[in-house]
Amino acid sequence: MTKLIIQIPCYNEENSLGITLSVLPRQLRGVDTVEWLIINDGSTDRTVDVARSYGVDHIVNFKHNQGLAKAFMAGIEACLKADADIIVNTDADNQYCADDIPKLIEPIISGRAEIVIGARPIQKIKHFSPIKKCLQKFGSWVVRIASNTNIIDAPSGFRAFSREAALKLNVFNEYTYTLETIIQAGQKGIAITSVPIRTNRYLRPSRLVKSISAYVKRSLITILRISMTYNPLRFFITLGTIPFTLGTLLGIRWLILYFAGTPKAHVPSLVLAAILILMGFQLWIFGLVADLMAVNRQLLEDIQLRLRRLDVDSNRTPHWPSTGNHQQRENRDEGGEGEEFANSFLNQE
């Protein structure tokens, strides 16, 4: 039987979490069981109390705020432990329309994709400034180039993962998971697609984008870092070609001037050309070394995937249809199964 778990990273979401949970589905076509999971990222308000009052099935607790990326991965690990076949990630501020979840998971159910990203109607979102819309469009284009995918809305947090795709995910960035997981999917050959979704009314400012300049800076660093990690040879070859080409052109210019009998020696141009050519060669060598290291990383990821499968599948139990009485589920009670897993996961942190 197919189980879907909707996970929501939360940090002080007392005011908006209830609105988000009130519209989440408990039954979906093509899915036998729908459960909810929140990741309490060190909240100091009544976020957990609100979650329990709405019958959330699983709660993962962090004692201190760890950031969105760690909260996201903690939720993925918890969903896998809870036998999820499909994982849907959404935000606690009710930004995304819950009625579009069937559309989001349809490519996974039909076998057309393993990761599905919800593409927001960016141009129609009123609280997005014109510069933010342009930067979002440009950033998504850069991610498409880096990942070799056709994802329209790269920063969207409304996304669905198959169990197999979730097992393969790794997030190294401590800021956000959105860009990194797309680039990973493209480099690992995981089938990924996007579907158009709707958004709800604006409830609160984004906590991730505190300023456009800071977000752009962090996003560029993330893209460069993941590109170097998953395709180092192409990255360093491209980077090294720039100074090598400039140095070669300067060298050709010096040769032309030299054989033309110019009275000046043009030594500075010759020295600069030599430096640029050497820089290009060094970057190419870095690419070769990094590519050899990437082979070891791939082997380690294969080992990690096998260990994850053994870990999450060893205690996997048959799925039973939901009875609808979520208030009485043992894994929500104090000391129940869900809390025990949260504590054990926290101890690993």
Side-chain angles (χ1 to χ4, degrees):
M1 302 184 72
T2 305
K3 177 189 284 190
L4 180 145
I5 296 183
I6 304 172
Q7 72 165 38
I8 309 174
C10 298
Y11 177 59
N12 290 337
E13 301 288 359
E14 173 186 353
N15 295 326
S16 60
L17 182 59
I19 300 173
T20 303
L21 294 173
S22 65
V23 294
L24 288 185
R26 277 297 188 181
Q27 293 180 343
L28 288 170
R29 180 179 297 180
V31 176
D32 298 295
T33 304
V34 177
E35 295 180 357
W36 301 345
L37 178 145
I38 71 159
I39 307 96
N40 173 35
D41 191 15
S43 299
T44 56
D45 62 0
R46 296 182 58 257
T47 294
V48 174
D49 295 333
V50 172
R52 286 187 173 134
S53 68
Y54 278 87
V56 168
D57 304 276
H58 311 277
I59 297 174
V60 177
N61 281 302
F62 283 161
K63 291 181 180 179
H64 307 286
N65 182 251
Q66 300 291 312
L68 179 60
K70 287 190 175 181
F72 169 78
M73 282 306 298
I76 292 293
E77 296 284 350
C79 289
L80 289 171
K81 287 281 189 180
D83 294 346
D85 297 292
I86 302 174
I87 301 170
V88 169
N89 184 86
T90 189
D91 288 352
D93 60 358
N94 197 40
Q95 175 185 174
Y96 308 107
C97 181
D99 292 337
D100 288 334
I101 291 179
K103 184 190 300 183
L104 193 70
I105 65 174
E106 191 279 329
I108 295 178
I109 293 175
S110 63
R112 293 189 290 111
E114 293 183 81
I115 299 177
V116 185
I117 312 295
R120 297 165 293 179
I122 298 297
Q123 298 304 320
K124 297 180 180 180
I125 299 179
K126 295 181 180 179
H127 65 271
F128 277 17
S129 64
I131 187 172
K132 187 174 182 179
K133 292 177 181 179
C134 291
L135 288 173
Q136 193 277 340
K137 187 175 182 180
F138 175 74
S140 295
W141 175 80
V142 173
V143 172
R144 286 197 296 273
I145 297 299
S147 62
N148 194 27
T149 64
N150 60 352
I151 301 305
I152 300 173
D153 186 8
S156 172
F158 194 44
R159 47 186 67 191
F161 304 87
S162 68
R163 183 180 182 82
E164 186 65 21
L167 284 167
K168 296 177 182 177
L169 287 182
N170 284 303
V171 175
F172 306 110
N173 187 273
E174 296 183 356
Y175 181 58
T176 182
Y177 61 90
T178 54
L179 309 182
E180 185 171 352
T181 49
I182 294 174
I183 296 174
Q184 275 189 36
Q187 297 299 334
K188 291 182 177 181
I190 301 174
I192 182 171
T193 189
S194 62
V195 296
I197 60 161
R198 296 164 292 175
T199 56
N200 298 316
R201 63 185 180 87
Y202 182 66
L203 291 182
R204 62 163 176 78
S206 171
R207 292 172 180 163
L208 189 66
V209 185
K210 295 181 179 179
S211 70
I212 293 179
S213 59
Y215 181 76
V216 170
K217 179 182 177 181
R218 290 199 177 202
S219 297
L220 287 175
I221 292 174
T222 298
I223 293 171
L224 289 174
R225 183 182 180 189
I226 301 305
S227 297
M228 284 189 289
T229 300
Y230 285 93
N231 205 334
L233 185 60
R234 185 179 73 173
F235 179 85
F236 283 104
I237 289 292
T238 302
L239 196 63
T241 299
I242 298 173
F244 182 84
T245 302
L246 292 175
T248 301
L249 292 175
L250 278 174
I252 293 172
R253 173 182 176 272
W254 183 87
L255 288 172
I256 293 173
L257 292 174
Y258 176 79
F259 286 110
T262 178
K264 294 183 179 180
H266 298 285
V267 174
S269 294
L270 184 61
V271 172
L272 180 59
I275 292 174
L276 290 172
I277 290 173
L278 286 174
M279 286 177 59
F281 269 117
Q282 284 183 326
L283 288 170
W284 288 349
I285 292 172
F286 289 159
L288 292 173
V289 174
D291 190 57
L292 294 175
M293 295 176 65
V295 174
N296 290 329
R297 177 193 53 76
Q298 181 62 53
L299 292 173
L300 290 174
E301 286 192 349
D302 290 343
I303 294 172
Q304 180 195 50
L305 179 59
R306 290 174 180 269
L307 291 175
R308 274 182 173 174
R309 281 203 183 106
L310 289 172
D311 185 35
V312 301
D313 290 343
S314 59
N315 297 320
R316 196 171 188 189
T317 55
H319 297 163
W320 298 99
S322 172
T323 60
N325 189 5
H326 300 281
Q327 294 291 336
Q328 296 181 0
R329 289 175 181 245
E330 292 185 0
N331 57 0
R332 286 186 52 261
D333 296 337
E334 292 293 337
E337 181 182 349
E339 296 289 344
E340 287 179 2
F341 170 73
N343 293 333
S344 65
F345 185 86
L346 200 59
N347 292 334
Q348 295 175 7
E349 291 290 316

